[in-house]
């Protein structure tokens, strides 16, 4: 690490020109400060991990054990560890099917947002039409519209169209509300494509769509990855939209588990194992694509 | 290992700035209809599912529950007068004030401290991870954390542990003197004798309802010996396993109760006190003569069961705690990226000028980070205004009304059993109005960046 710490001021080797001689007490204080900092960070890290570990260990005990004592008892009674909650979960058709439903919602909603968003982002970046910047600003303004505003009217609209409580409706809703961010992100990224590249492709005789699919879309890779990860997690983790627009007999995993929460004590085995199962996909995505996720989060800070 | 922060564009600016136009960006030879084709799907979806609903909600909010009667602003009036919705408003204010500020401060602390630690990346990953999971999963996680029973919920296990470290737990929770005996209960949970203590005549203090585990391993009770110049007595469990024995008398096999505090009280003032020995006897000095015997409530207090995290008073702070667990990592990562863009020379220059580390942090680092901190706080405020899932999952049915927030009220008004979509729409419009200032700030910022 070559940077100077803003709090305790370990001298930065890179700025050696201004290195000062420091008194013994100052050096001692810095040492001690470093130790305290480390201790503090370790404590906070464990503290932050504890709730998740608690869920994992709870899901690995059977219901009577969960009702009788806390998850930390497995450290003294490792024999309590069992996969019985997962057996119950895997035999619960509704919850297992809800994982499929979640996938059938998440994948199309992610692909559609990328496709439709890239179309519009390209148009805003490279095509000429009257009032382009104003249109773009209007789209960006929609970034912060709360989904709550649309719940009642879109429910009515979907009812009229016959897609209320269907997966199609949920997908369309998620796509629409993912679009402002998608367009914002992709337009800014596409605008960076060197003009010469597009002109060269055009001189080679590429048509509008060929240009888009063969040149623009591949060049947008990094931004599309960020957007895709972000939208994927957003939709996978959603509960509210699913609660209202999904078929309550065939809901996504979040809604299926939510239906069991009111009898928390009775369903604690399914809830703990189900919650952990529902976390596996987002966590895998998170660890595999951290960089893209972080840049997506940063770009979409104001969502 | 890839770091949480490496994918981050440098500099404190978190939103990629709109680039300044380099002349006409248009690719040569585009025909006008092409733009329309590319824009159509997006504009259709946005128009039908985002823009149209805004207008519809504004319109609908002016009508009554049935949707036929025009009521003007009555629904908005109800938002501010209905008790349930006022609770929601009040809670939303608490959320907006507390959650973003704590998350941002924690994020700032973590970002600054991890900068110099080699395994800072691992720490950041742990703190940032909860952002990837659903609020439903986080809600279930914290339902487990906040279980009332300290034997099950980790929050109360820790809390009770701390509590018991600083105050001795009662030796015999739930125990009391034999009813109809000499000792009468007072309203504060203590017991005072009707007769007075006398030197040379040992007092007998029979107790019952001692929990078996509390008296386990106790010695047999011994009758106290009369001593001149002292007041003595015995406290014991007046109960023989299997029955038998005489009430109020120390029978064979009855257990001594050690560690009980006894006080001698004259005219409401405690003149002497003692603790019972292993054989249940106690000895008070001569001045206790003529005083009444009192057993303070501290002997019998029920075991401390911890805080009611999800009870009516604590439920909102508890859910905010869960939210901070999820979102402090967001603040941390954004601030860490901003920190990486702070020029080291500025910090070093301040140090050379004699500033101490706190001054450097307070006067140089924080002001340079101000734009990032602003973005973080605004994002969290918007996010918190719409909070729904966490409240809906964590609050048990009994304290749901106390944990109410606008988004939850909107859901219940619009889709519950007592539906009033006029009222629901009014809440929706209110939520929109609350985030509107952010839209304006955003557009301003974009236009400024464009002009640069």
């Amino acid at each position: 690490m070559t940077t100077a710490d803003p709090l305790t001021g370990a001298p930065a080797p890179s700025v050696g020109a201004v290195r000062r001689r420091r008194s013994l007490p100052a050096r001692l204080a810095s040492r001690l400060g470093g130790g305290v900092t480390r201790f503090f960070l370790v404590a906070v890290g464990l503290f932050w991990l504890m709730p998740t570990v608690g869920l994992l260990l709870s899901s690995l005990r059977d219901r009577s054990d969960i009702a009788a004592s806390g998850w930390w008892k497995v450290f003294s009674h490792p024999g309590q560890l069992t996969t019985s909650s997962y057996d119950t979960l895997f035999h619960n058709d509704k919850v297992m099917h809800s994982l499929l439903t979640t996938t059938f919602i998440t994948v199309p909603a992610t692909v559609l947002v990328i496709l439709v968003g890239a179309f519009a982002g390209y148009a805003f970046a490279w095509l000429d039409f009257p009032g382009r910047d104003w249109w773009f600003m209007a789209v960006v303004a929609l970034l912060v519209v709360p989904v709550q505003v649309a719940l009642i009217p879109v429910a009515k609209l979907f009812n009229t169209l016959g897609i209320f409580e269907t997966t199609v409706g949920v997908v369309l809703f998620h796509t629409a509300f993912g679009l402002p961010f998608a367009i914002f992100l992709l337009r800014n990224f596409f605008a960076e494509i060197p003009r010469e590249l597009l002109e060269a492709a055009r001189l080679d005789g590429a048509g509008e769509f060929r240009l888009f699919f063969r040149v623009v879309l591949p060049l947008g890779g990094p931004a599309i990855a960020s957007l895709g990860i972000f939208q994927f997690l957003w939709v996978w983790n959603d509960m509210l939209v699913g609660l209202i627009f999904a078929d309550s007999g065939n809901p996504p995993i979040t809604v299926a588990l939510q239906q069991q929460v009111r009898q928390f004590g009775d369903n604690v085995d399914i809830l703990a194992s189900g919650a952990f199962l529902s976390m596996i996909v987002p966590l895998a995505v998170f660890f595999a694509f951290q960089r893209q996720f972080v840049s997506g989060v940063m770009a979409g800070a104001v969502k | 290992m890839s770091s949480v922060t490496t994918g981050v564009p440098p500099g404190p600016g978190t939103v990629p700035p709109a680039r300044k136009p380099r002349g006409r960006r248009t690719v040569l030879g585009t025909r006008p209809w092409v733009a329309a084709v590319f824009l159509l799907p997006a504009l259709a979806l946005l128009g039908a599912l985002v823009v149209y609903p805004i207008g519809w909600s504004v319109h609908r909010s002016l009508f009554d529950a049935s949707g036929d009667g025009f009521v003007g602003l009555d629904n908005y009036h109800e938002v501010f007068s209905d008790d349930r919705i006022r609770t929601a408003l009040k809670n939303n204010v608490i959320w907006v004030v507390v959650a973003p500020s704590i998350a941002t401060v924690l994020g700032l602390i973590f970002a600054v401290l991890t900068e110099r630690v080699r395994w800072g990346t691992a720490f950041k990953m742990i703190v940032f991870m909860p952002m990837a999971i659903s609020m439903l999963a986080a809600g279930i996680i914290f339902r487990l954390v906040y279980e009332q029973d300290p034997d099950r919920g980790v929050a109360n296990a820790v809390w009770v542990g701390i509590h018991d470290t600083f105050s001795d737990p009662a030796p015999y929770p739930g125990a009391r003197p034999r009813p109809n005996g000499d000792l009468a209960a007072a309203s504060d949970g203590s017991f005072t004798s009707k007769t007075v203590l006398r030197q040379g005549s040992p007092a007998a203090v029979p107790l019952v309802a001692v929990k078996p585990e509390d008296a386990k391993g106790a010695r047999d009770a011994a009758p106290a010996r009369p001593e001149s110049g002292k007041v003595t007595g015995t406290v014991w469990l007046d109960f023989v396993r299997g029955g038998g024995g005489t009430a109020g008398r120390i029978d064979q096999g009855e257990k001594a109760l050690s560690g009980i505090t006894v006080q001698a009280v004259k005219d409401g003032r405690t003149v002497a006190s003692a603790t019972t020995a292993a054989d249940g006897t106690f000895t008070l000095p001569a001045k206790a003569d003529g005083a009444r015997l009192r057993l303070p409530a501290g002997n019998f207090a029920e075991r401390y069961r911890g805080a009611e995290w999800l009870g009516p008073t604590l439920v909102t702070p508890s859910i905010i705690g869960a939210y901070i667990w999820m979102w402090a990592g967001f603040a941390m990562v954004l601030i860490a990226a901003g920190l990486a863009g702070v020029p080291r020379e500025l910090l070093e220059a301040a140090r050379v000028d004699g500033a101490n580390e706190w001054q450097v942090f307070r006067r140089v680092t924080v002001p340079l980070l101000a734009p990032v901190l602003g973005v973080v706080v605004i994002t969290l405020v918007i996010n918190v205004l719409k909070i729904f899932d966490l409240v809906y999952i964590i609050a048990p049915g009994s304290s749901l009304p106390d944990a109410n927030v606008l988004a939850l009220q909107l859901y219940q008004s619009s889709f519950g059993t007592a539906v009033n979509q006029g009222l629901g729409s009014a809440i929706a419009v209110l939520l929109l109005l609350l985030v509107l200032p952010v839209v304006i700030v955003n557009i301003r910022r974009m236009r400024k960046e464009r002009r640069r």
Side-chain angles (χ1 to χ4, degrees):
Chain A
M1 198 117 233
T2 53
T3 50
D5 179 67
L7 262 190
T8 43
S14 54
V15 265
V18 283
R19 192 181 298 147
R20 294 163 297 158
R21 281 191 69 84
R22 302 201 308 164
S23 62
L24 182 67
R27 268 180 294 163
L28 271 178
S30 163
R31 273 283 168 77
L32 205 64
V36 171
T37 302
R38 288 200 180 85
F39 176 78
F40 174 76
L41 288 179
V42 169
V44 171
L46 290 176
F47 182 78
W48 232 262
L49 265 183
M50 195 165 58
T52 317
V53 171
L55 178 75
L56 173 63
L57 292 180
S58 296
S59 75
L60 290 170
R61 303 170 79 210
D62 70 27
R63 190 157 67 186
S64 54
D65 284 334
I66 300 177
S69 60
W71 49 265
W72 52 92
K73 283 286 186 291
V74 300
F75 293 119
S76 50
H77 305 88
Q80 286 183 350
L81 288 176
T82 164
T83 55
S84 70
S85 292
Y86 287 92
D87 289 340
T88 316
L89 180 73
F90 291 149
H91 287 99
N92 186 322
D93 286 342
K94 189 166 182 184
V95 174
M96 291 318 286
H97 197 84
S98 68
L99 270 177
L100 267 182
T101 308
T102 292
T103 313
F104 289 150
I105 289 172
T106 308
V107 173
T110 306
V111 172
L112 265 180
V113 146
I114 291 174
L115 208 61
V116 177
F119 270 139
Y122 171 65
F124 282 122
W126 289 101
L127 303 184
D128 202 15
F129 55 93
R132 185 177 70 184
D133 289 355
W134 288 106
W135 280 102
F136 181 60
M137 238 172 246
V139 170
V140 173
L142 297 180
L143 258 174
V144 291
V145 174
V147 290
Q148 277 85 358
V149 177
L151 297 180
I152 311 173
V154 173
K156 299 231 184 256
L157 182 69
F158 281 2
N159 227 338
T160 317
L161 297 174
I163 53 171
F164 186 54
E165 302 212 327
T166 65
T167 300
V168 176
V170 183
V171 167
L172 286 180
F173 192 93
H174 278 305
T175 308
F177 273 85
L179 273 177
F181 173 58
I183 295 173
F184 173 69
L185 186 77
L186 294 179
R187 178 231 168 252
N188 286 343
F189 197 86
F190 289 158
E192 295 293 292
I193 297 174
R195 186 184 181 79
E196 300 74 37
L197 225 59
L198 296 178
E199 280 171 343
R202 174 51 53 86
L203 285 178
D204 287 347
E208 295 297 343
F209 291 95
R210 200 183 152 77
L211 189 70
F212 174 77
F213 282 107
R214 290 297 166 85
V215 182
V216 175
L217 217 47
L219 284 172
I224 289 173
S226 288
L227 169 66
I229 304 298
F230 198 72
Q231 174 80 359
F232 183 92
L233 290 176
W234 186 265
V235 177
W236 185 281
N237 287 336
D238 159 78
M239 182 178 88
L240 178 58
V241 177
L243 208 53
I244 290 163
F245 294 108
D247 175 4
S248 53
N250 181 20
I253 179 89
T254 45
V255 177
L257 291 176
Q258 181 273 330
Q259 290 168 347
Q260 320 251 7
V261 163
R262 289 296 156 224
Q263 287 83 39
F264 191 82
D266 293 337
N267 297 321
V268 69
D269 51 347
I270 287 191
L271 284 171
S273 55
F276 201 81
L277 194 69
S278 81
M279 284 163 55
I280 287 178
V281 172
L283 284 181
V285 169
F286 169 72
F287 283 114
F289 302 102
Q290 263 182 66
R291 294 175 49 169
Q292 289 83 350
F293 179 54
V294 171
S295 51
V297 166
M298 311 237 334
V302 185
K303 176 163 175 172
Chain B
M1 188 164 69
S2 66
S3 125
V4 181
T5 53
T6 45
V8 157
T14 45
V15 176
R19 304 293 153 173
K20 56 183 174 187
R22 287 163 297 183
R24 272 164 48 90
R25 218 190 276 105
T26 318
V27 185
L28 294 171
T30 355
R31 288 167 294 273
W33 61 266
V34 173
V37 170
F38 274 99
L39 283 171
L40 195 64
L43 293 186
L45 276 169
L46 285 174
L49 303 184
V50 183
V51 177
Y52 155 77
I54 296 175
W56 191 94
S57 290
V58 172
H59 180 254
R60 183 67 182 81
S61 71
L62 305 174
F63 288 82
D64 62 9
S66 67
D68 300 325
F70 181 81
V71 294
L73 295 177
D74 280 6
N75 284 322
Y76 293 93
H77 187 253
E78 194 175 343
V79 167
F80 293 98
S81 54
D82 182 284
D83 275 348
R84 280 182 315 160
I85 310 181
R86 276 178 48 168
T87 310
L89 272 172
K90 188 197 80 192
N91 282 336
N92 261 94
V93 170
I94 295 175
W95 269 93
V96 164
V97 171
V98 175
S101 47
I102 294 184
T104 309
V105 168
L106 282 180
L108 180 62
I109 293 172
F110 296 164
V112 167
L113 291 186
T114 46
E115 260 218 319
R116 68 176 315 207
V117 180
R118 229 175 298 115
W119 37 266
T121 308
F123 175 87
K124 280 185 192 153
M125 236 158 71
I126 289 173
V127 175
F128 192 58
M129 186 198 68
M131 262 215 79
I133 69 173
S134 61
M135 290 220 169
L136 168 101
I140 292 174
I141 287 177
F142 276 86
R143 274 296 278 265
L144 289 166
V145 167
Y146 289 136
E147 286 267 13
Q148 169 66 55
D149 186 344
D151 288 334
R152 287 188 285 163
V154 70
N156 262 346
V158 172
W159 184 241
V160 167
I162 293 172
H163 180 272
D164 287 352
T165 311
F166 292 104
S167 67
D168 288 327
Y172 302 105
R176 56 192 151 80
R178 184 168 278 288
N180 309 319
D182 185 38
L183 288 143
S187 58
D188 65 352
S190 68
F191 297 92
T192 310
S193 65
K194 292 176 204 129
T195 59
V196 294
L197 296 163
R198 286 291 167 214
Q199 286 184 48
S201 78
V205 188
L207 299 188
V208 292
V210 172
K211 295 196 178 79
E213 65 266 26
D214 291 334
K216 205 156 74 181
R219 281 167 49 180
D220 285 351
R225 264 183 230 96
E227 273 182 66
S228 66
K230 303 264 192 224
V231 173
T232 59
T234 306
V235 183
W236 83 100
L237 172 55
D238 192 16
F239 169 80
V240 185
R241 193 174 289 264
T246 315
R249 220 188 68 202
I250 304 176
D251 298 302
Q252 185 66 35
E254 289 186 337
K255 298 298 181 192
L257 296 177
S258 60
I260 285 192
T261 306
V262 293
Q263 294 173 331
V265 183
K266 268 184 194 160
D267 307 326
R269 283 202 0 260
T270 305
V271 294
S273 76
T275 306
T276 56
D279 61 359
T281 60
F282 61 88
T283 309
L284 289 162
K287 62 182 167 189
D289 189 75
R292 292 178 195 281
L293 178 73
R294 188 164 83 137
L295 302 177
N299 292 315
F300 314 116
E302 283 297 340
R303 200 184 130 201
Y304 182 61
R305 302 296 289 165
E308 253 188 88
W309 300 109
L310 302 182
T313 37
L314 282 181
V315 64
T316 295
S318 298
I319 303 173
I320 291 179
Y323 179 87
I324 290 169
W325 178 76
M326 287 189 82
W327 283 82
F330 167 82
M332 175 190 68
V333 167
L334 255 72
I335 294 169
L339 217 48
V342 170
R344 301 290 132 183
E345 300 75 32
L346 275 180
L347 303 179
E348 208 51 48
R351 287 193 189 106
V352 169
D353 287 347
N356 66 31
E357 291 310 322
W358 170 249
Q359 287 171 325
V360 172
F361 175 73
R362 180 71 194 74
R363 298 286 162 80
V364 184
T365 313
V366 170
L368 283 172
L369 283 177
V372 184
L373 296 177
V375 169
V376 169
V377 169
I378 289 177
T379 309
L380 291 176
V381 166
I382 294 182
N383 194 281
V384 152
L385 275 174
K386 301 183 285 188
I387 191 79
F388 168 79
D389 311 27
L390 266 191
V391 179
Y392 195 49
I393 297 298
I394 296 183
S398 55
S399 39
L400 200 58
D402 300 287
N404 204 4
V405 286
L406 284 178
L408 179 64
Q409 182 61 45
L410 182 152
Y411 174 70
Q412 288 177 332
S413 297
S414 314
F415 301 96
T417 38
V419 177
N420 179 354
Q421 298 199 329
L423 186 60
S425 299
I427 299 174
V429 173
L430 182 65
L431 275 179
L432 184 66
L433 289 177
L434 289 173
V435 298
L436 211 57
V438 182
V439 180
I440 295 163
V441 170
N442 264 1
I443 290 184
R444 276 243 183 95
R445 197 173 54 190
M446 274 183 59
R447 295 184 61 176
K448 218 162 76 187
E449 273 164 358
R450 208 166 267 217
R451 255 184 263 122
R452 254 193 252 134

